[in-house]
Amino acid sequence: MSWQMQCEGFLFDMDGTLVDSTVLIERIWHGWAIKNGIDFDFLMQHVHGRRGTETIEIVAPHMDAKTEVIALLEQEMEMMEDIPAIPGAAAFLASLPAGRWAVVTSASRAIAQAKLRAAGLPVPDLLISSDDVQSGKPHPEPYLKGAALLGLPPERCVAFEDAEAGIRSAHAAGMNVVAILHASGHEPTGLAGAKVAHYEELALRPGSGAELILEQRP
């Protein structure tokens, strides 16, 4: 079914939405789960879209989440290579007006910048990371700060997401959401206004004034 969204700003999650880092993330968390006797399937219900500290606080509240995450981030940085971009992501980002898009990620700023570079994608000056918020996804704070970074009201922005926590965050912030299904394979919430496999299914054309019209290719 075709659809259209009118918007002025574009906010992108990173993992699973711009870069296909699912295998890397799950490999790192699998090792952590085995080491600490955590049920991996239970862990995976809380990993994607969340900050690492919040995941650990849910699945292992007895552990020092900050200390554990420091070690996990060091491991992730060491293993970061050959991370592919989601199909069409580079071309779609290149088609957006300067200053009208930002990344809103649950990763740290250093990890986000490294992953985007590894995937051959531009690293934007406008970036909200786990370092920039008090409450991570699914709380709306990350996307509200992303909209503020663009100087736009949330309802004039569209968010691109793949994970439940991120979709709920953007929806709670009052944004239209496009679910990118390439990495996750499904939209888990029913809250996204549109679903596409990847960016090659999307088209962008001018609207009135500063407005742009996002739509699915026929």
Side-chain angles (χ1 to χ4, degrees), residues 1 4 6 22 25 28 33 41 43 65 93 135 139 144 163-164 174 178 184 197:
M1 182 181 295
Q4 292 183 350
Q6 298 174 338
T22 302
I25 290 171
I28 290 169
D41 291 335
L43 172 64
L93 292 178
S135 300
H139 194 280
L144 291 174
E164 177 178 354
V178 175
S184 65

mmCIF file of all heavy atoms in Angstrom, residues 1 4 6 22 25 28 33 41 43 65 93 135 139 144 163-164 174 178 184 197:
data_model
loop_
_atom_site.group_PDB
_atom_site.id
_atom_site.type_symbol
_atom_site.label_atom_id
_atom_site.label_comp_id
_atom_site.label_asym_id
_atom_site.label_seq_id
_atom_site.Cartn_x
_atom_site.Cartn_y
_atom_site.Cartn_z
ATOM 1 N N MET A 1 0.850 -1.191 0.000
ATOM 2 C CA MET A 1 0.000 0.000 0.000
ATOM 3 C C MET A 1 0.886 1.242 0.000
ATOM 4 O O MET A 1 1.803 1.363 0.813
ATOM 5 C CB MET A 1 -0.909 -0.001 1.235
ATOM 6 C CG MET A 1 -1.859 1.191 1.292
ATOM 7 S SD MET A 1 -2.879 1.153 2.783
ATOM 8 C CE MET A 1 -3.830 -0.342 2.477
ATOM 9 N N GLN A 4 2.103 8.595 1.951
ATOM 10 C CA GLN A 4 2.859 9.838 1.906
ATOM 11 C C GLN A 4 2.951 10.424 3.305
ATOM 12 O O GLN A 4 2.041 10.266 4.118
ATOM 13 C CB GLN A 4 2.182 10.864 0.986
ATOM 14 C CG GLN A 4 2.196 10.517 -0.477
ATOM 15 C CD GLN A 4 1.558 11.618 -1.322
ATOM 16 O OE1 GLN A 4 0.948 12.551 -0.785
ATOM 17 N NE2 GLN A 4 1.712 11.522 -2.620
ATOM 18 N N GLN A 6 4.225 14.263 5.053
ATOM 19 C CA GLN A 6 4.742 15.615 4.892
ATOM 20 C C GLN A 6 5.621 15.936 6.096
ATOM 21 O O GLN A 6 5.220 15.726 7.234
ATOM 22 C CB GLN A 6 3.588 16.609 4.790
ATOM 23 C CG GLN A 6 2.698 16.361 3.576
ATOM 24 C CD GLN A 6 1.478 17.252 3.576
ATOM 25 O OE1 GLN A 6 1.055 17.762 4.601
ATOM 26 N NE2 GLN A 6 0.892 17.449 2.406
ATOM 27 N N THR A 22 23.517 -5.802 13.438
ATOM 28 C CA THR A 22 22.825 -6.763 14.306
ATOM 29 C C THR A 22 23.712 -7.933 14.691
ATOM 30 O O THR A 22 23.766 -8.346 15.862
ATOM 31 C CB THR A 22 21.551 -7.277 13.613
ATOM 32 O OG1 THR A 22 20.714 -6.154 13.299
ATOM 33 C CG2 THR A 22 20.794 -8.234 14.508
ATOM 34 N N ILE A 25 26.360 -6.829 17.272
ATOM 35 C CA ILE A 25 25.775 -6.560 18.583
ATOM 36 C C ILE A 25 25.394 -7.853 19.289
ATOM 37 O O ILE A 25 25.687 -8.058 20.475
ATOM 38 C CB ILE A 25 24.541 -5.644 18.430
ATOM 39 C CG1 ILE A 25 24.986 -4.236 18.018
ATOM 40 C CG2 ILE A 25 23.742 -5.587 19.727
ATOM 41 C CD1 ILE A 25 23.848 -3.332 17.628
ATOM 42 N N ILE A 28 28.449 -9.827 20.602
ATOM 43 C CA ILE A 28 29.031 -9.257 21.820
ATOM 44 C C ILE A 28 28.160 -9.572 23.037
ATOM 45 O O ILE A 28 28.654 -9.998 24.088
ATOM 46 C CB ILE A 28 29.213 -7.739 21.649
ATOM 47 C CG1 ILE A 28 30.328 -7.461 20.633
ATOM 48 C CG2 ILE A 28 29.526 -7.069 22.988
ATOM 49 C CD1 ILE A 28 30.419 -6.024 20.203
ATOM 50 N N ALA A 33 26.448 -12.667 27.974
ATOM 51 C CA ALA A 33 25.430 -13.484 28.636
ATOM 52 C C ALA A 33 26.017 -14.792 29.148
ATOM 53 O O ALA A 33 25.749 -15.218 30.283
ATOM 54 C CB ALA A 33 24.273 -13.760 27.672
ATOM 55 N N ASP A 41 18.114 -15.481 25.414
ATOM 56 C CA ASP A 41 16.830 -15.143 24.797
ATOM 57 C C ASP A 41 16.132 -14.027 25.572
ATOM 58 O O ASP A 41 15.556 -13.110 24.974
ATOM 59 C CB ASP A 41 15.923 -16.374 24.730
ATOM 60 C CG ASP A 41 16.431 -17.407 23.735
ATOM 61 O OD1 ASP A 41 17.151 -17.016 22.793
ATOM 62 O OD2 ASP A 41 16.125 -18.599 23.895
ATOM 63 N N LEU A 43 17.683 -11.818 27.433
ATOM 64 C CA LEU A 43 18.506 -10.632 27.188
ATOM 65 C C LEU A 43 18.131 -9.960 25.879
ATOM 66 O O LEU A 43 17.984 -8.732 25.804
ATOM 67 C CB LEU A 43 19.980 -11.030 27.174
ATOM 68 C CG LEU A 43 21.005 -9.976 26.750
ATOM 69 C CD1 LEU A 43 21.032 -8.818 27.730
ATOM 70 C CD2 LEU A 43 22.386 -10.595 26.610
ATOM 71 N N ALA A 65 26.104 -1.666 36.162
ATOM 72 C CA ALA A 65 25.825 -1.502 34.734
ATOM 73 C C ALA A 65 26.872 -0.637 34.043
ATOM 74 O O ALA A 65 27.304 -0.937 32.924
ATOM 75 C CB ALA A 65 24.429 -0.912 34.538
ATOM 76 N N LEU A 93 20.458 9.596 2.413
ATOM 77 C CA LEU A 93 21.020 10.673 3.220
ATOM 78 C C LEU A 93 21.573 11.788 2.337
ATOM 79 O O LEU A 93 21.425 12.978 2.650
ATOM 80 C CB LEU A 93 22.125 10.126 4.126
ATOM 81 C CG LEU A 93 21.691 9.175 5.249
ATOM 82 C CD1 LEU A 93 22.910 8.683 6.009
ATOM 83 C CD2 LEU A 93 20.709 9.842 6.197
ATOM 84 N N SER A 135 17.253 9.959 30.010
ATOM 85 C CA SER A 135 16.401 8.780 29.845
ATOM 86 C C SER A 135 16.482 8.317 28.397
ATOM 87 O O SER A 135 16.197 9.078 27.476
ATOM 88 C CB SER A 135 14.947 9.112 30.200
ATOM 89 O OG SER A 135 14.843 9.538 31.543
ATOM 90 N N HIS A 139 11.799 6.030 26.259
ATOM 91 C CA HIS A 139 11.401 7.373 26.692
ATOM 92 C C HIS A 139 11.499 8.325 25.497
ATOM 93 O O HIS A 139 12.395 8.180 24.649
ATOM 94 C CB HIS A 139 12.324 7.839 27.816
ATOM 95 C CG HIS A 139 11.830 9.029 28.552
ATOM 96 N ND1 HIS A 139 11.973 10.317 28.069
ATOM 97 C CD2 HIS A 139 11.187 9.137 29.753
ATOM 98 C CE1 HIS A 139 11.445 11.170 28.940
ATOM 99 N NE2 HIS A 139 10.955 10.493 29.969
ATOM 100 N N LEU A 144 12.841 13.939 21.233
ATOM 101 C CA LEU A 144 12.526 15.340 21.495
ATOM 102 C C LEU A 144 13.790 16.193 21.371
ATOM 103 O O LEU A 144 13.754 17.301 20.815
ATOM 104 C CB LEU A 144 11.916 15.489 22.882
ATOM 105 C CG LEU A 144 10.506 14.901 23.056
ATOM 106 C CD1 LEU A 144 10.079 14.976 24.512
ATOM 107 C CD2 LEU A 144 9.501 15.627 22.164
ATOM 108 N N ALA A 163 13.635 -0.864 15.909
ATOM 109 C CA ALA A 163 13.432 -1.602 17.158
ATOM 110 C C ALA A 163 12.242 -1.066 17.932
ATOM 111 O O ALA A 163 11.865 0.104 17.823
ATOM 112 C CB ALA A 163 14.687 -1.510 18.022
ATOM 113 N N GLU A 164 11.671 -1.942 18.756
ATOM 114 C CA GLU A 164 10.485 -1.575 19.534
ATOM 115 C C GLU A 164 10.733 -0.353 20.404
ATOM 116 O O GLU A 164 9.925 0.585 20.431
ATOM 117 C CB GLU A 164 10.052 -2.749 20.409
ATOM 118 C CG GLU A 164 8.861 -2.415 21.297
ATOM 119 C CD GLU A 164 8.396 -3.577 22.144
ATOM 120 O OE1 GLU A 164 8.931 -4.702 21.976
ATOM 121 O OE2 GLU A 164 7.479 -3.373 22.969
ATOM 122 N N GLY A 174 5.705 12.272 19.474
ATOM 123 C CA GLY A 174 4.733 12.898 18.582
ATOM 124 C C GLY A 174 5.128 12.917 17.124
ATOM 125 O O GLY A 174 4.632 13.741 16.360
ATOM 126 N N VAL A 178 8.743 5.765 10.327
ATOM 127 C CA VAL A 178 8.907 4.790 9.250
ATOM 128 C C VAL A 178 9.752 3.650 9.804
ATOM 129 O O VAL A 178 10.881 3.858 10.246
ATOM 130 C CB VAL A 178 9.594 5.417 8.020
ATOM 131 C CG1 VAL A 178 9.856 4.341 6.959
ATOM 132 C CG2 VAL A 178 8.747 6.541 7.442
ATOM 133 N N SER A 184 15.604 -6.134 11.151
ATOM 134 C CA SER A 184 14.739 -6.770 12.150
ATOM 135 C C SER A 184 13.748 -7.745 11.540
ATOM 136 O O SER A 184 13.341 -8.710 12.181
ATOM 137 C CB SER A 184 13.966 -5.700 12.930
ATOM 138 O OG SER A 184 13.077 -5.006 12.065
ATOM 139 N N ALA A 197 11.250 -2.160 3.552
ATOM 140 C CA ALA A 197 12.383 -3.045 3.783
ATOM 141 C C ALA A 197 13.673 -2.245 3.912
ATOM 142 O O ALA A 197 14.526 -2.544 4.757
ATOM 143 C CB ALA A 197 12.502 -4.063 2.655
#
